Structure formats: structure tokens, C-alpha cells
Amino acid sequence: RSCEKAGLLKMDFLGLRTMTVLDETTRLVQRHEGAKVDVATLPLDDATTLDLLGRAQTVGVFQLESSGMRDLLRRLQPQKFEDVSAVVALYRPGPMEMIPNFLDGRHGRKQTDYGIPGTGEVLDETYGVMVYQEQVMTIASKVAGFSMSRADVLRKAMGKKDPKVMAAQEADFVSGAKANGIPEKKARALFKDIEKFAGYGFNKSHSAAYALLAYQTGYLKAHHPTAFMAANLSSEIGDSDRIAVLIEETRRMGIALKPPCVHGSAWRFDLEDGAIRFGLGAIKNTGEAAIAAVVRARNEGGPFASLFDFAARVENRALNRRLVESLVLAGAFDEFCDNRARLFAAVPLALDWGARRRQEASAGQESLFGGGPGHGASLVTPQLPDLPAWGALERAAREKEVLGFYLSGHPLDSYREDLKRLTGGTIAHFLKQGPGTPARAAGVVLGLRKTATKKGDAMAFATLEDMSGSIELLVFPEAYGRAAKHLVDGAIVWVKGQLSSRDGEDRKLVAEEIRPFEEARLKSLGFYVALPGSQVPDAVRAELDQLFTSCVGPLPVFMELTEPDGTTVVLRSGRYRVALDEGLRDACDALLGAGRSRFAARL
């Protein structure tokens, strides 16, 4: 404020990660696609970009990534850059109350017309809704004859909300409007709307600048998705939770992700043969200098032949047991051996052998054949220990230790469709819901801790994790008594309960019922067939009979019949029980029509 009074201009400079993402994306595009992209000269009416925003595919897009913002984009269906700018201004406390009016104006459901000359052209780009401070200043100038300097005084006064000052401002505004031939009643009504706007007005120059970055990131995601996602992953390389979100989005987009590998990966995420190569910097316990040494050894001597060759060729000061073990657990040596248990057990031996190999080489004792009299045995490459491979759950759990998420395969991957049928949402969804919300969730039990209440009754705490995140699971005595045999680390379970939170703590899931997921899957699903009418031709009945009897299993069959008055009656078949077989669904749809059969929860 003192600087302003002295006539100085105060400027804020923000250091945004987004600028690095833009720069890295364009660099990758030029290097791998042979195209030069100048984000400063992008067309601001690109249909592909606006379509991506309208579909709310905005993970990684600046300012437009939250679930609420994505919902607004779907409802708005932006058609021009100005829509993006308005969204950035509106989606914040205060302005959000004007979103319904803005959407009504955008889709022609409501026409805001003050009936005052000059207001329409000012508010046209925001569909009759005051969104920006600059609009207020322009209206004050056009309607009340204020100079722009005087209009800025009005803007500031509104922000301070001083009753005496506002009364004087209103008198000046009405007087100026009357001088321009505008009736006093209309002028006062307009001023009241302007005064209300003061509670949420946003600076257009700020909003437009943010919207430009949002549009630029949206453009790159729409036109250069692989490079854009690689750049985003690199920018978040130290945040495993964020990396997990971006990897899920990368897979949703159909972009191939190559795993970490000492042969192909560098510190950052990069492009390789149209796919994204995982960056070693996203693995815990690595360091940029150590990974640089790995890349240098690879560039100088070619691909590594084995874990032992790796340990011998990478600079000694760059290697330590924790680093190499983390690379093993993340799968960076899988090309040498797909049994990570053997590789992990061999790390100490490899580091010791590599150190001795370097010592002998530096002493000039290495012969043409890799050995010499008296010490040849020390140069013979050892063999990996003969150990059984880890099971899928242990392998996945150890991978998660060093990545913070599951990369090569989540224990729930094979249950994706069943999860949609049997749960009320992902754990990430439930973490955003209020206390007391009923929840049906499923996931892997981790970190089980058994304890007892003050009365001595057994209960337990655990973490329930799915592919979207994790939540603390509370199992009080009554529920624990029924579920104790199912609650073990690594078990995949289905949980029915409700959300709890106190004093601003993270959400917890209080279990009421816990079942093994496979049991819930079979007991809770049914096969529903929507018949084309109440009268089904005999030929169709015969074909359905053949389908059902050829796919016998544990799931009940429900027939949905449509009565002549349009009502639907659901009847459970006492004759048929079928297997959970997507082939059965496809065959029924081929017979009856697409979408007429489904496996669905009957909880």
C-alpha cells in the first residue's frame, strides 16, 4: 500500500511448476516427434483442445484438475477461450454461487438483460453475469460516466465494504446514471448487483493469464499426449502419490508405459518408441548423481550383461546396497532375471564382487580372458542364488515399498470390473465424502494391528488400499468377532461400513461387515437379462435355455420383463444358475440386443 501511494507498481511473480512442464513437453516433442511447438502462438480456438476440456479429461491440466472443476467443465462445454477464463474466475469461494446463472446463460436457458444501454456488450462474453472486476469498472464508466480512475475507486470501496463509503458511491453512481438518461430505479438495481458482485469479483488479467496456461497445457495434452504426460511425471518425480495418479491417467489414455530398466531409463521420464520410459528418479533411495553414474557407465560400455556386471562397471562411490536393492524391487533388473527374490538376495554378493573386480582392474591384473594366475577364481562371475520366486502379493508389496504405488501389477487388477459392481466407489472417492456416509469398498488389507478395548474385547486397525489410494480401517469388537478369520495382511476383502472423522482428521472407514472379496463377488452378483417384452418367442426361450445350461455356475439369474403399461418386473429364475463368464453376457446381447444383459450387484 505504501508503494502504491508513492506511485510505484507492485508486481507478484509466481514460480509455477507448469512452466517447466510446458518447456519439457515442447523439448520432448521436438526431439522425438520432429515438431517445433511454440506455446506462445497457439490458436486459441482449437476444437480438439476445447473438446478435451469439455470431456473433462484434465488430469495434469493447470487449474482444471479438481473433481469440482471437471464437473463444471462437463456442464459448461467450453466453446471459446473466454469460457476457460471465466471458469478459472468462477470456481472459487464466493463466485461459485454465480455458476448456475453463468451455465443458464451459456446454454440459453436464461437471458440476463438489465435493460440499460452499455451493459449488454460488457457482459456478453460472460453470458450476462458479472465475473470480472474490469467489467464493473467498465459498466460504471458507460452507465454512470465514471472515469476509469474513478471506477477503480469504486472497485476498491466495494472490497472494503464500508457502509458510509458505499452510500456515497451509490449516490454518485445513481446521479451519473440519471445524467445519462437512465431511470433511478434501474440504476439503483444495477448498483445493488454490482455491490453483491464485490463479494466475489476477480481480476480478469489474472484469470486470463491462468486460463492461458490451462489452455496451453490442455492443447499439449490433446495434441502431444505422450510427451505431455512424460513431462508431468518428471515434474512430480519426488511425489509418489502424484506419480500414481499420473500413471493411472497415462494408462487410461492408452499410452504405453515401459517399466524402469537399467538399460533404458534415465533419471527423468522419457519417450521411447512411442511409449513413456519410467524414470529411475521416481524410485525411492536413488539419487540423481548415482543415476547419472549408471547412465554414464551404460553409455561408455554399452548395455549391462548382468547384476554383477552392473556392480562392477558403475562407479563405486555411486553404489550402495540400499540403492541397488531398491532398483531390484522396482524391477529395473528384470531383463536379467524375472525372479526378483534371486536378484535381491544377490545384491551384497554383487557389490562385493564388483568392488574386487574394479580393484583388480585398477591394479592392471585383468587379463584378456578376465582372469590371471593365482586370482582367476575371483574374476569368475558368480551365479544368482537358487531361490523360489516371490508370490504375486509379496512381489507387488515390495515393489510398492520403493515406488509408493503398484506399477507392474496391482493385486486388484483382475477384479477391476467386479470392483465397479460391488463397491460404491473408489477409496479416493470415499476420502472426499462427509462423516456418516455409508460406504461399500474393497481392497487389500495392509498393516493389520490387533488390539483390545478397555473391556478386553478384541478389535483391530488396518489400512485398506485399492488402486486409487488407502484409508484407515477400524474394526470394532462386534464386527471383528465375525471377521477375524478374514483379516490378515495381504487379504483382499470387501467392506461395508460408514465413514468417520473427528477434529479435522483424515477419513476412516468403520467396518460393519467384512467378507473375503471372492466370497462377496459370488454371493453378491446376479446375472440380469432384460427380455424384449412380456411375451418372449419360443425360439428365443430355447436359445436362452441352451446358453444358461451350457454355462452353469453359482450366480442366480434374474429376468426383467416389461409389461404393456411400461412397468418392469424382475423375476428370479428357480431353474438357472450361471457362471461369471463375460462370454455368456456377449452371447445374450447378440441374441437379445446390445446392453440387455449384465452381471450386477444385488446387495
Side-chain angles (χ1 to χ4, degrees):
R1 193 174 295 174
S2 299
C3 290
E4 188 177 342
K5 288 181 179 179
L8 299 175
L9 176 65
K10 180 178 75 73
M11 301 180 72
D12 293 336
F13 292 90
L14 302 179
L16 295 175
R17 185 192 304 270
T18 301
M19 304 304 293
T20 302
V21 172
L22 292 173
D23 182 67
E24 175 73 357
T25 303
T26 56
R27 185 185 66 80
L28 289 171
V29 168
Q30 184 165 5
R31 194 175 79 197
H32 294 277
E33 301 178 24
K36 188 171 183 179
V37 180
D38 182 1
V39 295
T41 61
L42 297 178
L44 295 181
D45 58 352
D46 180 68
T48 305
T49 303
L50 293 170
D51 177 65
L52 178 138
L53 300 183
R55 287 184 287 111
Q57 303 294 345
T58 52
V59 173
V61 176
F62 182 68
Q63 288 281 301
L64 305 182
E65 192 170 359
S66 71
S67 59
M69 182 66 87
R70 291 162 71 184
D71 178 63
L72 174 55
L73 288 170
R74 290 189 193 96
R75 293 159 63 198
L76 174 63
Q77 293 297 302
Q79 297 295 305
K80 55 187 179 180
F81 173 77
E82 288 78 7
D83 290 346
V84 182
S85 178
V87 161
V88 171
L90 286 169
Y91 195 77
R92 59 191 67 248
M96 293 181 76
E97 68 181 64
M98 298 304 296
I99 286 176
N101 289 342
F102 183 81
L103 292 172
D104 286 343
R106 158 69 180 87
H107 295 296
R109 296 187 292 263
K110 180 178 180 181
Q111 190 67 38
T112 301
D113 184 3
Y114 286 101
I116 298 175
T119 57
E121 60 190 73
V122 175
L123 301 177
D124 182 62
E125 70 170 289
T126 52
Y127 310 108
V129 176
M130 278 182 273
V131 173
Y132 307 115
Q133 294 174 353
E134 288 88 343
Q135 288 176 312
V136 168
M137 295 170 62
T138 304
I139 288 174
S141 176
K142 288 181 175 290
V143 173
F146 284 18
S147 67
M148 293 307 288
S149 176
R150 177 74 179 78
D152 191 45
V153 173
L154 170 64
R155 177 189 65 79
K156 293 177 181 177
M158 288 179 170
K160 294 177 182 177
K161 299 180 181 178
D162 186 316
K164 290 184 179 179
V165 175
M166 287 306 300
Q169 292 292 334
E170 181 177 5
D172 290 347
F173 184 89
V174 172
S175 176
K178 288 171 66 177
N180 285 332
I182 297 168
E184 180 176 342
K185 185 176 181 180
K186 284 190 174 183
R188 290 194 182 279
L190 176 59
F191 188 86
K192 292 301 180 185
D193 277 357
I194 291 175
E195 192 172 18
K196 181 181 178 183
F197 165 88
Y200 64 80
F202 198 66
N203 185 287
K204 183 178 181 180
S205 57
H206 189 166
S207 182
Y210 268 28
L212 181 60
L213 289 178
Y215 181 89
Q216 289 171 342
T217 50
Y219 181 96
L220 292 177
K221 184 174 185 181
H223 290 275
H224 305 282
T226 307
F228 177 75
M229 293 309 296
N232 263 282
L233 285 161
S234 289
S235 76
E236 303 281 4
I237 209 160
D239 186 340
S240 59
D241 290 340
R242 181 64 180 158
I243 290 284
V245 170
L246 292 172
I247 284 178
E248 185 70 17
E249 174 68 1
T250 297
R251 288 170 169 161
R252 186 202 63 77
M253 294 167 67
I255 298 171
L257 180 68
K258 294 190 174 185
C261 174
V262 292
H263 285 156
S265 296
W267 174 258
R268 302 171 68 81
F269 289 77
D270 206 344
L271 304 190
E272 184 180 313
D273 301 328
I276 296 176
R277 173 62 80 176
F278 196 94
L280 299 180
I283 302 172
K284 295 177 182 179
N285 307 318
T286 60
E288 192 164 2
I291 300 306
V294 171
V295 174
R296 189 161 51 248
R298 184 177 70 208
N299 291 340
E300 292 173 355
F304 301 108
S306 66
L307 173 65
F308 298 97
D309 184 44
F310 173 89
R313 287 171 50 194
V314 178
E315 296 171 20
N316 186 42
R317 60 184 179 181
L319 293 183
N320 60 67
R321 179 170 175 171
R322 198 177 183 194
L323 164 70
V324 182
E325 286 180 343
S326 296
L327 292 174
V328 168
L329 295 179
F333 293 101
D334 282 0
E335 290 191 16
F336 301 143
C337 176
D338 62 2
N339 183 333
R340 293 183 191 174
R342 296 180 68 194
L343 288 164
F344 187 81
V347 170
L349 176 62
L351 290 175
D352 180 66
W353 183 86
R356 286 188 287 114
R357 178 70 180 266
R358 282 191 300 274
Q359 289 172 357
E360 293 177 354
S362 64
Q365 295 177 334
E366 191 169 36
S367 75
L368 176 64
F369 301 103
H375 60 270
S378 67
L379 295 177
V380 173
T381 304
Q383 297 296 309
L384 294 174
D386 187 12
L387 295 172
W390 293 323
L393 284 177
E394 182 176 4
R395 177 180 165 119
R398 286 173 172 259
E399 181 176 278
K400 186 175 182 292
E401 284 178 23
V402 295
L403 294 177
F405 52 88
Y406 299 104
L407 177 65
S408 60
H410 194 286
L412 298 176
D413 277 343
S414 60
Y415 296 114
R416 283 180 181 266
E417 291 303 315
D418 294 324
L419 287 168
K420 294 177 184 177
R421 299 181 183 116
L422 295 176
T423 67
T426 64
I427 287 175
H429 165 76
F430 288 125
L431 287 171
K432 298 174 184 175
Q433 307 308 305
T437 301
R440 286 183 288 116
V444 181
V445 176
L446 301 171
L448 180 66
R449 291 169 288 132
K450 299 176 183 178
T451 185
T453 65
K454 292 180 180 179
K455 295 181 179 180
D457 298 323
M459 63 170 293
F461 298 88
T463 297
L464 185 70
E465 178 180 274
D466 69 5
M467 290 170 286
S468 72
S470 60
I471 190 170
E472 186 173 354
L473 182 66
L474 275 61
V475 191
F476 290 116
E478 185 178 350
Y480 184 76
R482 298 189 300 267
K485 61 182 179 181
H486 310 316
L487 274 176
V488 295
D489 276 324
I492 299 175
V493 298
W494 175 88
V495 180
K496 179 181 178 182
Q498 67 174 244
L499 301 176
S500 172
S501 178
R502 65 176 73 173
D503 301 327
E505 294 178 347
D506 291 339
R507 298 285 182 270
K508 295 176 174 59
L509 177 55
V510 180
E512 297 167 1
E513 181 182 356
I514 299 176
R515 301 186 205 169
F517 188 76
E518 192 63 30
E519 175 187 310
R521 178 175 179 251
L522 294 177
K523 286 187 176 180
S524 305
L525 286 177
F527 186 57
Y528 290 79
V529 179
L531 297 173
S534 58
Q535 299 298 321
V536 182
D538 290 341
V540 174
R541 290 179 182 274
E543 290 197 53
L544 285 174
D545 177 78
Q546 185 176 356
L547 287 173
F548 295 154
T549 55
S550 66
C551 192
V552 176
L555 305 186
V557 175
F558 296 89
M559 302 293 189
E560 297 177 338
L561 302 171
T562 303
E563 300 290 354
D565 63 358
T567 60
T568 300
V569 177
V570 180
L571 301 175
R572 178 169 177 163
S573 171
R575 178 178 179 185
Y576 304 114
R577 295 184 76 87
V578 298
L580 181 58
D581 185 341
E582 299 296 344
L584 173 63
R585 185 192 63 186
D586 294 342
C588 286
D589 281 359
L591 173 64
L592 302 172
R596 285 193 167 272
S597 65
R598 68 193 188 280
F599 291 101
R602 52 190 177 92
L603 291 171

